[in-house]
Amino acid sequence: MRKTGLYLLLLPGVLFLTLFMVIPIVMTIASTFYQDGSFTIQGYLQFLTDAYFLKIMLTTLQVSLVTTIACVLIGFPAAYYISKLGPRKKGILLALAIFPLLTSSVVRSFSWMIILGKKGLLNSSLLAIGLIDKPLEILYTPTAMMIGLIHLFLPLIIITLVGVMENIDPDLLKAAESLGASKLTAFWKVIVPLSVPGLIIGSILVFVGSLTAYTTPALLGGKQRVISTFLYQNAITLNDWHLASVIATIMIVITFVVIYFMNKLATKLNPKG
Amino acid sequence: MQEKNRGLALFTSLVFLFLLGPLIIISFTSFEPGSVLKFPPEGFSWRWYENIFEVEMFMTTFKTSMLVSLLGNLLALLLGIPAAYALSRFDFRGKGILNGIFISPVLIPGIVMGFAMLKYVIVVYDLPIYAGLLVGHTVLMLPFIIRVIASSLSNFDFAIEEAALSLGAGRLETFFKVVLPNIRSGIIAAILIAFLESFNNVDISVFMTGPGVSTLPIQMLTYVENNFDPTIAAISVLLMIFTAILMFIIERLMGLSYFTKR
């Protein structure tokens, strides 16, 4: 096919993305280095020296890290169980995991408001059975955000891991066992290492997703800010677009650094090389 | 071993209870007759479902969401099908970079993209809010359209295309009469997946909505900030039914394996 034909196929999409995504993103990053017509890194200095900003950053990283670890610990055994099921049962469980994933994040966060609220299901049940005598304050705390985010991302890590585990040759397990390994040893020596690349991809998705999620922290975090709600607050409520651009740039940098290093790790740990 | 499996089975059931429980609870509370969300509900009433249709903003924003997702989808298809075809059919220099550009909207944090678009698409380019919202959603949908269609093209045997071409059909004619019909189910699945992404989007829409123009998820967020009655629970139920129907169609068209592949 002639080169021009090929370019004609790609041009509209590339042009559209350049105009409406690449330029806006690049210009937003560039704008953080200019203020009143001259070069500056004031925005970044302000960010790095302000205790309030650093606290937000720390909360965000903590919440994302705990969410990722919890998703891995809960998701791995569940995915392993699902991957061993027959096609029919596996299909049903996968569908049940994909359904929440396709459900609006507003709906899912809202459901946790009903459960975690002061008069919510959790508190009223705990009060009724006498485990506590005054309602727990969970909603609008980092804990509530974590619960909401684990709920948001657990299906993602489960289906990613099932996708990887399905492709592990069951003969490998049998071979390990016939060579004298116990079921548990075989699991640790065969399934776990072979799942590592999928585990890392899943963890990237959860970690980056939690780091940048907006709806869940906005609904479940109350006044507790994380970096994405802080970006929104600066952009819309406080109208400080310079600071908002700095936050946006920091979010892009963190995202790409995480993806880069986790990908490196995945290549390194991949037993197939 | 039997023991361990039973433990794992129980654990997995608890995981699914955690995933689906909240969605079941929200469904029950939508039938609460009183004006405070309760579980279990104290009776049965359609009152809050009726309320959805009485609050005008829900109807208006539902229509906006529908229109933006459908028009944006159409635009993303027009831009995405040729690109997906070029990327999966031919080898050329710079293919990797172009692939990267077309996938990048999913890598950049949505909230960052929304803000950058507000600054440039709305403020610098001075597009009207409605057009800006449409453009934002098109960018959002493009990677999904391209990814799903490219994956169905990878299952398509291009020898059939060669055959049609060698029999004298034109490139364009071959594309419309041979290639497109063969990847039809992939295209419909791509449309539905992109539609769900767009219809549920908050991150970009929260910046691209403005006076008089809002989408349903943004309207729901605003409503929750000021009211805590079961209306949102009722809307949630309708949205879940809608999601389940679309998911069922996607399953019929291409299976759910798209979701397990990364």
Side-chain angles (χ1 to χ4, degrees), chain B residues 54-105:
Chain B
E54 275 155 25
V55 180
E56 203 185 306
M57 280 316 284
F58 286 131
M59 297 315 289
T60 321
T61 53
F62 172 74
K63 279 181 205 147
T64 307
S65 278
M66 271 298 197
L67 207 62
V68 165
S69 301
L70 291 174
L71 283 179
N73 215 317
L74 190 67
L75 216 58
L77 283 172
L78 289 176
L79 300 166
I81 292 178
Y85 175 74
L87 289 170
S88 31
R89 179 73 177 84
F90 306 105
D91 271 315
F92 52 92
R93 269 180 58 189
K95 186 172 165 176
I97 297 171
L98 279 172
N99 248 327
I101 291 178
F102 279 116
I103 296 305
S104 59

Side-chain angles (χ1 to χ4, degrees), chain B residues 150-213:
Chain B
S151 93
S152 25
L153 277 171
S154 69
N155 295 326
F156 173 69
D157 184 1
F158 283 107
I160 305 172
E161 191 194 27
E162 295 294 341
L165 286 173
S166 69
L167 290 172
R171 277 246 161 224
L172 218 57
E173 195 189 358
T174 309
F175 183 75
F176 282 105
K177 288 199 173 148
V178 178
V179 183
L180 269 192
N182 271 295
I183 56 164
R184 196 177 48 213
S185 57
I187 292 178
I188 301 172
I191 291 173
L192 297 180
I193 291 168
F195 178 87
L196 278 172
E197 285 297 323
S198 159
F199 195 83
N200 289 333
N201 177 270
V202 170
D203 299 18
I204 292 180
S205 313
V206 81
F207 288 101
M208 308 297 277
T209 46
V213 183

Side-chain angles (χ1 to χ4, degrees), chain A residues 181-201:
Chain A
S182 72
K183 289 250 173 198
L184 203 62
T185 316
F187 174 78
W188 275 110
K189 299 261 173 181
V190 177
I191 301 291
V192 175
L194 285 173
S195 308
V196 163
L199 200 59
I200 290 178
I201 294 172

Side-chain angles (χ1 to χ4, degrees), chain A residues 153-249:
Chain A
F153 293 117
L154 190 55
L156 201 61
I157 203 151
I158 290 178
I159 61 175
T160 305
L161 283 174
V162 171
V164 173
M165 288 170 175
E166 268 179 341
N167 293 323
I168 297 176
D169 189 347
D171 287 344
L172 284 176
L173 262 187
K174 280 188 206 130
E177 279 161 30
S178 71
L179 291 172
S182 72
K183 289 250 173 198
L184 203 62
T185 316
F187 174 78
W188 275 110
K189 299 261 173 181
V190 177
I191 301 291
V192 175
L194 285 173
S195 308
V196 163
L199 200 59
I200 290 178
I201 294 172
S203 306
I204 298 179
L205 294 172
V206 176
F207 189 73
V208 171
S210 313
L211 208 59
T212 58
Y214 174 77
T215 316
T216 305
L219 280 178
L220 303 179
K223 287 197 174 63
Q224 185 82 50
R225 297 263 169 268
V226 290
I227 193 159
S228 59
T229 50
F230 191 54
L231 165 62
Y232 179 79
Q233 185 192 24
N234 275 285
I236 301 296
T237 322
L238 306 173
N239 240 317
D240 187 344
W241 282 18
H242 188 75
L243 190 57
S245 304
V246 169
I247 302 167
T249 307

